Amino acid sequence: INITSGNDGINTNEDNVSVTTVNGGSVNIQVAGETGEGDGIDSNGYLVINGGTVVAMANPNSDSGLDSDRGSYVNGGTVLALGSTMDWAEADDSNDSNQVTMNLQFSSSQSADEAIIVTDTDGNVVFAYDPDKDEVAGSNARWYQGAVLSCADLTVGEQYFVYVGGDVTGAETAGVYDITTVTGFTDEAKQQCYTGTD
């Protein structure tokens, strides 16, 4: 399912009750932003992703890739959500997503026409997305300052490197790479420097 919207890509709006659930398939949301605002997915209740591939880009001026009043839970699949303000996926000890999820806040705006690459400490790619290869997002690239990223290849307690930019060599579907086919990426990819405390 490819969605282009003037406002929220998906919105379920029953306060504290609605549940938006993705169990499989591919959902690609490129918010057109003609109204000047719009989340990728907005639930006034819960947002649950159990499987499939979800790419959700918000209007960069004010909104989140994922936005849920009662919590966003990533239990499986591959997720990339980009926006400016972010409603982070649940990731604490008592009320957690079941799949490892990275909530990233960049110190400056990033261009959404650049690849996002995550490697382990040995340099093996565990996640890669390139909007230039995404038929939906490619012609509507946006900037972002926050990202929610999750996939089955991330492991609790491991260290990872995040890169932005460059070209990835491997097979992809709608910009999301099959990491079993990735053989590397170009030097234009810039490693990001972690400056936070959490």
Side-chain angles (χ1 to χ4, degrees), residues 72-75 89-99 101 156:
S72 297
Y73 298 88
V74 181
N75 300 320
E90 300 306 311
D92 61 54
D93 293 335
S94 62
N95 193 16
D96 203 355
S97 296
N98 290 329
Q99 182 168 280
T101 303
V156 171

Side-chain angles (χ1 to χ4, degrees), residues 120-142:
D120 62 20
T121 54
D122 293 325
N124 301 307
V125 175
V126 296
F127 176 89
Y129 170 76
D130 188 347
D132 281 343
K133 306 292 185 182
D134 185 338
E135 296 82 2
V136 178
S139 60
N140 298 291
R142 299 185 176 281

